[in-house]
Amino acid sequence: MIKNSYDEEQIDDYEEEDDNDEFVASFTAKQKLKKTEVIEDLTYLEEEVITAYLYPLTTLTGKKVSMGLRVAKDKMTIMSVDIRSQIKIKAYLSQSDDDYDLIETVDPMNPSEQIMRRSENLDFITYNLKEIDLGCLYLLTKEAINEDNFSTVKQYVAKTIIRSVDTDGMEMSFASIEEFSSSFKTPPIKIVLSPPMTEKIKEIHVTTPKGTLVGNIKVVDNDGHFPELIAKEGTEIYPKLCFPFQTQPVLSIVNYWSSDQIIPLKHITAYLDSKGLNYDDDFSLQDFLVLGDSSKYPTLRIDHAYSIRYTTLGKREVGRWKGGSYNGYYFDSTWEDYNSSAEIKVGDKYGYTVTTAPDNKTRQTLYQTITSIEDVNVTSKQSYRYTTAFDTLLLMLTESFWKDYEFKGATKFEYVNGEQVEKINDTRIYEISQKYSQQDRYAVNTNNWLSWKKINQDKVNSNPSMTKRIESTIALLSGYIKSNFSINKGDNDDYKILLPFYFELQNAIDNPVNYVGYTDIKVKLKSLYFEFKGKNISTKVKEISNNIIYKLDYNHYAFPEVTSQVETSSIPSSMPLDQQTANGEYSKYQLKQFSNTSSIQDLIKQEYGNGIINYNPISNGITNNGEFSLDKNSFVSELKVSSFYGSGLWRFNFVDVNNNSFIIDLNLFDKTETKNSFINLIL
């Protein structure tokens, strides 16, 4: 008879047997694993068994790479390793290759040029690995890493990690970090020793290699937006206008704002200092532009005036009158100061005295009325240092004004015998109009200066720096002088963009009725890029992330951003007349240098107009160092960096909202590829 149930004692016996079976199975597995390791230790040579260390890698912002990496010639993913996540293993090497091979094409446009690079691979099996995330990328080293040895220890990156089919081990294949490269020798990943950034970032501090000209540093947040990166107080951004003229064999650029066509900023400020003036005061250029013989006192001539107002100061005699009406005299006379103002104008009535009797003693007052004030000449005694070169500049300024004013008032129309006849109304204006009639206005006005130079060749040869200063002044006065020495010939206000600073005329002629000419040039220092206030100069450029759109009277313009394809300039020369924003063939980049150190800021200011037009990053030696704030605290996913001559060590210090700093040192750009100017850092 078969029983369908068990008593309690039998059940307890079966439960005890089940527990024993589980223990035996567990013990057997451990013994099997231990036996496997013992067998492997006996099977492999001593040098084929190594102790290694695994570290899971994430992006700098803590993301896994299970979705893959974006690899391109201008992209680099920053991977973070945390030494606290170390996994120690014993690796049994099945293969260890270490050789050189042609593994990469340098330039897709030139497939015959390749790189011979050392390649090292480690294939092995390991056991007793408790936890491993197969969706994670791993770093392997042969010694435990720390802050001291991280930059020197040999590093390997996982290619494959799979579970062994016939054993309880894990089969792994690692390649040296150097093998992870892409076209143009830009490694797709860069491993840094840092905990991941998991909070919003509020600041980024940047240090570049010496001589680097920065294009832009753009932040990309998790939504693909571009928060603005703005210089903090104390960090000054200095713009540079550069024209690349060749990219092979090396990148070469014209540093236009350092050319001798720009008056050195330090010369202008030194002149203002000598006059006891602030940098935002208006001042006369007469003592700033001294070349040639002393001219006569400058004379202001007006052919037809309506009114003349003047003040006289001096001394006059006072005393008591003694004697008759006609034969008396003053005695006890003394002298006193006087100050008297007067005005005459058309329509005024004045009395004058005439004698009417034969004895010439009878007097009568008659009256005269002013109907016209003609041929007024006012000679200035104040401008004692006027020179003939400055007179020529006054002439150019005067003629430019009347040409722009369309010689209004030069002629007038009268009716003679019932017919309308054109007659000369103002001789001086008419003479200028005939000088420019059917002529190239720019050439005519330029010839005023060229003729003076030819006549005064000895003065020009003995004073080349002052000659250049005067010609550069014409460029700074491009808004008022039409000539071949003016930016874009002075036809619009491009000069405000294409010059680091310019002169704003303070004594401009305004709607004259008759001829007037300039007898002085009073200006104020102005700039779209600099703020001149008191004795201080600060920069207006605050953003490092974007190029500003400048709004002018005739134009809106933004300099193109530096990309991976540097365009060379096709300008035939760097003459001011060739500088214009409207011509797309003129490749212009506005690069930047920045600093938060006053001594370095002073050095950068001295570069404007220093005459070194061919930029040399080695001799420049300026290290950019600045602190920037995001306009909105953001989770940062990318950093886009562009520059000229940016090869070398960059330091980025990311500061999160909790004031934690994440300092990342990166070797960016290839020193053998100077035209490589853009990189996208995936964070």
Side-chain angles (χ1 to χ4, degrees):
M1 182 177 176
I2 300 175
K3 293 184 179 180
N4 295 325
S5 60
Y6 301 96
D7 56 30
E8 289 185 4
E9 184 176 354
Q10 287 176 316
I11 293 175
D12 290 339
D13 290 342
Y14 274 95
E15 288 179 350
E16 185 176 344
E17 289 178 8
D18 289 342
D19 291 340
N20 290 337
D21 289 342
E22 290 179 3
F23 171 77
V24 171
S26 175
F27 178 77
T28 303
K30 292 179 179 179
Q31 288 296 103
K32 183 178 179 182
L33 180 58
K34 183 176 181 181
K35 182 178 179 181
T36 302
E37 288 184 333
V38 171
I39 294 174
E40 300 289 26
D41 287 339
L42 296 174
T43 303
Y44 286 82
L45 299 175
E46 182 179 356
E47 60 269 19
E48 293 176 334
V49 181
I50 64 172
T51 298
Y53 301 86
L54 293 178
Y55 301 89
L57 295 175
T58 66
T59 66
L60 188 59
T61 53
K63 299 182 181 66
K64 294 183 179 180
V65 295
S66 55
M67 299 301 293
L69 293 175
R70 295 160 56 187
V71 177
K73 67 180 181 67
D74 55 6
K75 283 185 172 63
M76 177 190 292
T77 299
I78 311 302
M79 308 297 294
S80 169
V81 59
D82 191 339
I83 58 178
R84 296 171 298 180
S85 60
Q86 177 196 104
I87 303 173
K88 185 178 180 180
I89 65 170
K90 180 184 286 188
Y92 299 91
L93 300 177
S94 59
Q95 183 177 348
S96 178
D97 297 331
D98 189 357
D99 55 19
Y100 287 87
D101 195 6
L102 294 173
I103 61 174
E104 184 177 300
T105 298
V106 179
D107 188 346
M109 303 301 294
N110 184 16
S112 63
E113 185 178 357
Q114 293 181 300
I115 294 177
M116 176 177 285
R117 178 169 288 172
R118 182 182 179 184
S119 174
E120 185 175 356
N121 294 278
L122 296 177
D123 296 337
F124 61 88
I125 189 170
T126 186
Y127 301 94
N128 198 25
L129 197 59
K130 295 180 180 180
E131 296 181 2
I132 190 165
D133 185 352
L134 296 179
C136 188
L137 186 64
Y138 281 87
L139 173 73
L140 180 143
T141 60
K142 295 180 181 179
E143 58 180 289
I145 59 176
N146 53 53
E147 293 182 358
D148 295 329
N149 68 359
F150 181 76
S151 61
T152 58
V153 69
K154 184 69 175 178
Q155 299 176 5
Y156 304 84
V157 178
K159 297 174 68 175
T160 59
I161 298 178
I162 59 175
R163 298 190 184 278
S164 179
V165 176
D166 53 355
T167 69
D168 294 328
M170 301 290 292
E171 296 180 7
M172 301 184 180
S173 178
F174 280 74
S176 60
I177 188 66
E178 292 80 10
E179 190 172 334
F180 280 76
S181 62
S182 64
S183 296
F184 294 91
K185 298 169 283 188
T186 301
I189 65 172
K190 172 65 177 178
I191 301 173
V192 297
L193 186 61
S194 171
M197 304 185 305
T198 57
E199 301 293 336
K200 290 184 177 181
I201 300 299
K202 67 175 184 178
E203 296 177 11
I204 302 178
H205 306 167
V206 182
T207 303
T208 75
K210 288 184 178 181
T212 297
L213 296 175
V214 178
N216 298 100
I217 301 175
K218 290 179 173 290
V219 174
V220 184
D221 66 16
N222 287 348
D223 297 322
H225 299 151
F226 296 86
E228 294 180 1
L229 203 56
I230 302 171
K232 292 183 62 179
E233 184 177 357
T235 295
E236 297 280 332
I237 302 175
Y238 297 90
K240 305 278 187 176
L241 183 58
C242 300
F243 308 148
F245 61 88
Q246 72 175 35
T247 59
Q248 293 293 342
V250 295
L251 176 67
S252 298
I253 64 174
V254 169
N255 188 11
Y256 182 62
W257 286 352
S258 289
S259 71
D260 57 6
Q261 293 174 4
I262 307 296
I263 298 177
L265 183 59
K266 62 181 180 180
H267 289 181
I268 299 176
T269 56
Y271 174 76
L272 293 173
D273 289 340
S274 70
K275 296 292 184 179
L277 298 173
N278 291 323
Y279 301 156
D280 54 347
D281 288 341
D282 59 280
F283 61 98
S284 171
L285 291 176
Q286 58 174 318
D287 289 342
F288 189 64
L289 306 174
V290 179
L291 182 62
D293 298 327
S294 296
S295 66
K296 61 183 180 180
Y297 287 141
T299 298
L300 173 64
R301 173 189 166 91
I302 301 176
D303 287 343
H304 309 283
Y306 173 75
S307 67
I308 300 174
R309 183 182 295 109
Y310 60 93
T311 299
T312 60
L313 296 87
K315 290 184 177 294
R316 62 186 176 189
E317 190 177 18
V318 294
R320 289 182 296 169
W321 181 258
K322 182 178 181 179
S325 300
Y326 299 105
N327 55 3
Y329 63 93
Y330 277 102
F331 72 99
D332 294 335
S333 63
T334 58
W335 293 87
E336 67 177 6
D337 294 331
Y338 81 94
N339 184 324
S340 175
S341 296
E343 179 183 16
I344 60 173
K345 63 179 182 296
V346 173
D348 282 351
K349 188 175 182 181
Y350 291 91
Y352 66 100
T353 302
V354 297
T355 56
T356 57
D359 59 2
N360 291 325
K361 293 182 179 180
T362 303
R363 300 172 182 272
Q364 182 178 358
T365 300
L366 302 179
Y367 294 91
Q368 59 186 12
T369 301
I370 300 176
T371 58
S372 178
I373 303 175
E374 306 286 341
D375 195 18
V376 178
N377 291 272
V378 180
T379 300
S380 172
K381 189 177 180 181
Q382 186 178 23
S383 303
Y384 61 92
R385 291 201 64 185
Y386 274 24
T387 57
T388 54
F390 188 75
D391 276 343
T392 304
L393 206 58
L394 294 172
L395 176 65
M396 296 175 68
L397 192 60
T398 298
E399 292 187 357
S400 287
F401 167 78
W402 282 109
K403 174 63 176 176
D404 287 341
Y405 205 58
E406 297 180 345
F407 307 112
K408 188 182 298 184
T411 60
K412 61 182 178 179
F413 288 93
E414 294 181 353
Y415 283 93
V416 178
N417 298 325
E419 294 184 0
Q420 193 178 48
V421 178
E422 184 178 17
K423 292 187 175 182
I424 297 175
N425 181 57
D426 192 303
T427 303
R428 297 290 298 275
I429 304 175
Y430 182 77
E431 288 174 351
I432 300 174
S433 70
Q434 294 305 296
K435 180 179 178 179
Y436 282 81
S437 177
Q438 298 182 356
Q439 301 293 322
D440 182 340
R441 66 173 302 177
Y442 313 105
V444 173
N445 208 14
T446 302
N447 283 336
N448 285 326
W449 173 247
L450 297 180
S451 297
W452 183 91
K453 289 176 66 177
K454 187 174 183 179
I455 295 171
N456 298 272
Q457 194 66 51
D458 57 333
K459 302 291 191 305
V460 171
N461 292 339
S462 59
N463 296 277
S465 60
M466 182 57 69
T467 302
K468 178 57 67 176
R469 176 184 287 188
I470 293 174
E471 293 174 350
S472 298
T473 297
I474 298 174
L476 297 183
L477 288 168
S478 293
Y480 312 95
I481 296 179
K482 302 290 195 299
S483 76
N484 292 338
F485 291 98
S486 304
I487 298 296
N488 197 19
K489 298 183 177 181
D491 274 343
N492 56 24
D493 50 1
D494 280 2
Y495 66 93
K496 295 180 180 179
I497 293 177
L498 299 177
L499 292 174
F501 41 82
Y502 58 91
F503 287 147
E504 182 181 84
L505 195 62
Q506 300 299 298
N507 61 327
I509 298 173
D510 185 23
N511 296 321
V513 177
N514 304 299
Y515 173 84
V516 291
Y518 281 95
T519 59
D520 196 1
I521 306 176
K522 293 184 177 180
V523 299
K524 184 176 287 189
L525 194 57
K526 291 286 187 176
S527 175
L528 290 179
Y529 310 104
F530 295 97
E531 185 75 39
F532 302 104
K533 190 171 184 179
K535 292 291 186 179
N536 299 315
I537 302 174
S538 59
T539 60
K540 294 181 180 179
V541 180
K542 299 302 179 184
E543 283 191 47
I544 196 69
S545 51
N546 298 308
N547 286 355
I548 299 173
I549 300 177
Y550 295 100
K551 298 179 181 180
L552 305 178
D553 293 337
Y554 304 102
N555 194 9
H556 289 182
Y557 186 80
F559 288 97
E561 294 188 359
V562 176
T563 65
S564 56
Q565 299 295 324
V566 178
E567 297 181 1
T568 56
S569 176
S570 59
I571 56 175
S573 71
S574 60
M575 290 181 62
L577 66 94
D578 291 323
Q579 308 308 315
Q580 51 185 296
T581 61
N583 193 333
E585 295 182 357
Y586 294 62
S587 298
K588 306 175 182 70
Y589 293 99
Q590 191 180 88
L591 284 302
K592 307 170 187 71
Q593 289 182 309
F594 53 83
S595 178
N596 53 10
T597 305
S598 59
S599 59
I600 300 299
Q601 292 171 358
D602 291 339
L603 288 176
I604 298 176
K605 291 174 188 176
Q606 292 177 14
E607 293 180 359
Y608 291 95
N610 66 0
I612 305 176
I613 192 171
N614 194 343
Y615 184 80
N616 186 333
I618 298 176
S619 60
N620 179 270
I622 297 295
T623 296
N624 300 293
N625 192 6
E627 299 180 356
F628 304 90
S629 297
L630 279 70
D631 64 338
K632 180 182 180 181
N633 298 338
S634 304
F635 291 106
V636 177
S637 62
E638 297 180 33
L639 200 65
K640 299 177 183 289
V641 180
S642 59
S643 71
F644 286 169
Y645 309 108
S647 173
L649 185 65
W650 291 64
R651 168 165 287 186
F652 299 96
N653 181 7
F654 297 87
V655 181
D656 68 14
V657 291
N658 297 321
N659 292 321
N660 296 315
S661 291
F662 301 84
I663 300 176
I664 308 301
D665 291 334
L666 300 174
N667 272 301
L668 301 182
F669 306 107
D670 193 316
K671 64 182 179 181
T672 64
E673 296 288 345
T674 57
K675 67 176 181 179
N676 191 1
S677 56
F678 175 84
I679 193 166
N680 186 9
L681 303 177
I682 311 299
L683 307 179

